[in-house]
Amino acid sequence: MPAPDQPTVSLFVEYGSDFPVWLFDYPFAGRRGPMNVTTNELQLSNHLIERLHRFQHNFDENYDVLTGWRMTAAGDFHQHESAVLLTTLRGEVEHLGVVVTAHC
């Protein structure tokens, strides 16, 4: 669990969001609480940005809050990809001194 007020970068999909990365209490953002990240705020690699967009798109197209995953393959992709993305995201932002979490 992060310390209170410790900057956090979180990987999670959200309906209506274009990008599944959020900031919490990050100093450069100038505000507290959750803030959806624009694609280059954290200077992520193009490869990771593309994978994150694909991850969000898979969720948007294949998950329903009432019925769950429309196809087993889409759910399997989401589960596997979330683990890979979390590891990659941690590696790309470790120099920022933030905690990286996932809520997928």
Side-chain angles (χ1 to χ4, degrees), residues 2-80:
D5 298 328
Q6 185 173 8
T8 302
V9 173
S10 188
L11 170 67
F12 71 90
V13 290
E14 176 72 9
Y15 292 107
S17 173
D18 291 330
F19 200 64
V21 178
W22 295 72
L23 300 174
F24 293 86
D25 299 325
Y26 199 71
F28 81 77
R31 66 176 241 210
R32 304 183 74 69
M35 184 177 83
N36 195 216
V37 173
T38 59
T39 55
N40 65 354
E41 271 181 300
L42 297 174
Q43 301 300 308
L44 303 174
S45 68
N46 288 336
H47 179 70
L48 178 55
I49 289 170
E50 289 170 12
R51 288 183 76 173
L52 288 163
H53 278 293
R54 190 168 49 246
F55 183 66
Q56 179 71 47
H57 180 76
N58 178 66
F59 175 79
D60 291 341
E61 295 296 315
N62 295 297
Y63 187 79
D64 181 272
V65 69
L66 298 176
T67 60
W69 291 101
R70 294 175 195 205
M71 299 177 293
T72 302
D76 291 347
F77 168 81
H78 185 86
Q79 183 177 10
H80 176 265

Side-chain angles (χ1 to χ4, degrees), residues 78-100:
H78 185 86
Q79 183 177 10
H80 176 265
E81 191 69 354
S82 65
V84 173
L85 288 172
L86 182 60
T87 299
T88 305
L89 182 61
R90 278 192 177 121
E92 290 201 16
V93 299
E94 67 184 346
H95 67 283
L96 298 174
V98 298
V99 172
V100 179

